[in-house]
Amino acid sequence: MKLTHVMYKVNVNCTVLKEFLDSLSQQNLIEEHIIRNKKGQKIIYAITERGRAALTYFKEITMALQTTEETQRSYVFI
């Protein structure tokens, strides 16, 4: 995705987004690609395999926490 597309999707300003992207890039969760064409060049961002694994892990944690919450709500305390 282009930087502006990411910026609108996550609803943060450019400075904050660049800080997040730098952090994600340093952790090898995303990577930057420079695309050159007749008009010049642009930077696009792509998720890495490590980033995909991290997303899967966080989704599993989220599901487990939701299940735990639902279980706790089903108990009746006297």
Side-chain angles (χ1 to χ4, degrees):
M1 296 180 79
K2 290 188 207 178
L3 184 64
T4 52
H5 294 145
V6 175
M7 189 172 69
Y8 290 126
K9 186 91 169 169
V10 297
N11 196 30
V12 297
N13 69 41
C14 192
T15 304
V16 172
L17 179 59
K18 285 183 180 181
E19 288 176 13
F20 282 128
L21 292 174
D22 287 343
S23 176
L24 292 170
S25 184
Q26 289 173 0
Q27 296 175 61
N28 195 29
L29 299 173
I30 63 168
E31 57 191 9
E32 293 181 4
H33 295 280
I34 298 174
I35 306 297
R36 291 181 177 83
N37 59 24
K38 293 178 183 179
K39 296 180 181 179
Q41 70 180 28
K42 61 183 173 182
I43 298 174
I44 61 170
Y45 297 89
I47 191 168
T48 63
E49 285 303 315
R50 181 180 168 139
R52 288 184 202 282
L55 279 177
T56 300
Y57 177 72
F58 284 115
K59 286 178 185 178
E60 289 173 1
I61 289 173
T62 301
M63 288 174 50
L65 290 173
Q66 288 173 347
T67 302
T68 303
E69 263 184 26
E70 290 169 5
T71 303
Q72 288 175 350
R73 278 190 238 138
S74 66
Y75 289 121
V76 176
F77 295 100
I78 300 176

